[in-house]
């Protein structure tokens, strides 16, 4: 058999045949081992919190959850249980690390490929923030070009191309199709980001997608890297702040230089299913 999907199982294969893949040998077992290790780590942290907490005086998410568990102790239909605490803590770790770090790595690669964009961001940072202090979140509104570049990076890479699976609560009609209650729906966020009716030349990287003719920042309803609605990304605000602060802090102080010619840099993602990851690349940072 060649290098087909059975030999190198992809996330799609796992979605379709979850139990079979547990039995097949292959590199995909590493993710299960890593998950099990993370689970042990989280259980140990919960134990440590139990030993050191003051009920009613939460220090963090785990303490808040334990407080809620105490309050629900006598409730026969309680939702705040140990297993839920382990998994929600796990989700915060998992959802909050790879997503943001992949966006940063991908963004740096894009700026290597388009040095003229990086130079314009640096000129704006120099004019608005200067070099005597670090950029802060209050500066975001005064940095329209930088803000547009960061939005365009998120649109262009669609680091999470699909939203999480959701189930319909009522029967629904959508564009002439009947979808009964309970139907699983997986929104294709990437399709909104590459919609030519919403973005000019959507397969190219162009910060003008988020600027009006006067050079002011302009949002777009089709920009949905964090999905939409009540269950949209819980960490969207934190992620946006992290992305802004990391990029601006780096670009304020360093010039990004590729190893080799920028024209040879390939922006094709390494994995397109659960997450778009940038290909491996080398980067030189030279003090400005
Ligand atoms: C660039 C960074 C990030 C991106 C692109 C991103 C994207 C997403 C997307 C698309 C969803 C699915 C929402 C849906 O289908 O309705 C999601 C869910 C979620 N994200 Fe993020 N995320 C990012 C960073 C973070 C961070 C920093 C955290 C937490 C510290 C986080 C925590 C979560 C959680 C807990 C959910 C599940 C929400 C729920 O089901 O109610 N994410 N994220």
């Amino acid at each position: 058999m060649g290098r087909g999907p059975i030999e190198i199982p992809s996330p799609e294969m796992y979605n379709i045949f979850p139990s079979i893949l547990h039995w097949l040998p292959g590199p995909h077992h590493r993710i299960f081992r890593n998950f099990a290790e993370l689970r042990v780590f989280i259980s140990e942290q919960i134990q440590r919190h139990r030993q050191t907490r003051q009920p009613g005086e939460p220090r963090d998410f785990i303490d808040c959850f334990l407080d809620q568990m105490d309050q629900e102790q006598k409730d026969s239909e309680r939702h705040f249980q140990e297993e839920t605490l382990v998994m929600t803590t796990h989700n915060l770790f998992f959802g909050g690390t790879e997503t943001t770090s992949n966006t940063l790595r991908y963004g740096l690669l894009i700026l290597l490929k388009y040095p003229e964009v990086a130079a314009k961001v640096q000129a704006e940072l120099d004019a608005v923030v200067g070099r005597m202090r670090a950029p802060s979140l209050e500066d975001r509104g005064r940095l329209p070009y930088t803000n547009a570049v960061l939005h365009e990076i998120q649109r262009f890479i669609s680091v999470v191309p699909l939203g999480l699976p959701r189930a319909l609560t009522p029967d629904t009609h959508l564009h002439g199709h009947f979808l009964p209650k309970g139907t699983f729906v997986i929104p294709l966020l990437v399709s909104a980001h590459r919609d030519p009716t919403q973005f000019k030349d959507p397969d190219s990287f162009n910060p003008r997608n988020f600027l009006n003719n006067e050079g002011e920042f302009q949002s777009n309803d089709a920009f949905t890297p964090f999905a939409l609605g009540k269950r949209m990304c819980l960490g969207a605000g934190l992620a946006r702040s992290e992305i802004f602060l990391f990029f601006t802090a780096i670009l304020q102080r360093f010039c990004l230089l590729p190893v080799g010619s920028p024209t040879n840099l390939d922006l094709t993602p390494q994995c397109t299913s659960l997450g778009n990851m940038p290909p491996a690349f080398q980067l030189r940072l030279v003090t400005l």
Side-chain angles (χ1 to χ4, degrees):
M1 197 180 286
R3 287 164 62 87
I6 297 291
E7 215 183 12
I8 306 175
S10 66
E12 287 97 337
M13 286 295 291
Y14 182 69
N15 277 341
I16 303 166
F17 307 116
S19 51
I20 296 180
L21 283 187
H22 271 290
W23 296 102
L24 286 176
H28 60 288
H29 282 280
R30 210 171 97 202
I31 196 165
F32 298 124
R33 276 202 305 277
N34 291 351
F35 270 134
E37 247 176 64
L38 191 52
R39 218 190 139 88
V40 170
F41 171 75
I42 291 168
S43 300
E44 286 169 0
Q45 290 299 316
I46 294 173
Q47 233 7 67
R48 205 172 286 175
H49 277 68
R50 279 215 164 88
Q51 286 157 2
T52 55
R53 72 189 266 256
Q54 296 289 334
E57 290 178 27
R59 294 160 298 184
D60 57 16
F61 172 75
I62 294 179
D63 276 354
C64 285
F65 202 105
L66 291 171
D67 276 352
Q68 198 61 31
M69 275 170 81
D70 288 349
Q71 279 184 26
E72 285 198 353
Q73 233 167 19
K74 292 192 187 81
D75 188 342
S76 58
E77 287 187 15
R78 48 181 191 268
H79 299 289
F80 289 81
Q81 296 160 358
E82 180 91 17
E83 175 65 11
T84 325
L85 173 54
V86 173
M87 284 320 292
T88 43
T89 310
H90 179 281
N91 290 349
L92 284 175
F93 261 121
F94 197 65
T97 46
E98 286 285 301
T99 46
T100 313
S101 62
N102 276 337
T103 305
L104 289 171
R105 281 198 300 138
Y106 226 140
L108 291 174
L109 175 62
I110 291 171
L111 294 181
L112 276 184
K113 176 104 184 156
Y114 299 102
E116 67 285 2
V117 174
K120 274 183 91 169
V121 172
Q122 278 163 337
E124 190 178 59
L125 281 169
D126 265 349
V128 175
V129 182
R131 298 200 190 163
M132 301 303 283
R133 65 169 179 90
S136 70
L137 291 178
E138 288 75 53
D139 295 318
R140 193 157 40 184
R142 298 188 291 136
L143 295 164
Y145 186 77
T146 306
N147 204 7
V149 169
L150 299 184
H151 277 71
E152 179 65 356
I153 288 172
Q154 286 204 273
R155 179 201 73 81
F156 183 71
I157 66 177
S158 293
V159 77
V160 181
L162 314 180
L164 295 176
R166 306 288 184 210
L168 293 180
T169 42
D171 287 346
T172 304
H173 290 272
L174 183 74
H175 293 298
H177 298 281
F178 173 64
L179 304 172
K181 178 179 169 177
T183 304
F184 276 110
V185 177
I186 303 181
L188 298 178
L189 306 174
V190 64
S191 70
H193 288 165
R194 295 293 171 118
D195 184 342
T197 67
Q198 299 298 319
F199 300 102
K200 236 187 256 166
D201 195 8
D203 294 330
S204 305
F205 178 80
N206 184 358
R208 295 216 64 81
N209 278 317
F210 293 95
L211 290 170
N212 66 16
N213 290 338
E214 281 70 53
E216 292 158 353
F217 176 76
Q218 178 175 270
S219 198
N220 183 318
D221 286 347
F223 176 74
T224 52
F226 302 105
L228 294 166
K230 270 190 191 168
R231 296 291 298 269
M232 72 174 281
C233 176
L234 188 76
L238 174 64
R240 289 186 62 240
S241 302
E242 286 176 327
I243 291 168
F244 175 81
L245 291 175
F246 274 107
F247 271 114
T248 52
I250 292 171
L251 288 168
Q252 184 194 37
R253 290 178 183 273
F254 298 100
C255 179
L256 313 178
L257 293 177
V259 176
S261 161
T263 43
N264 295 335
L265 289 170
D266 182 9
L267 299 183
T268 316
Q270 234 183 17
C271 155
T272 47
S273 186
L274 289 182
N276 279 338
M277 295 194 307
F281 64 98
Q282 288 184 314
L283 158 73
R284 285 182 296 149
L285 294 176
V286 179
T287 325
L288 279 170

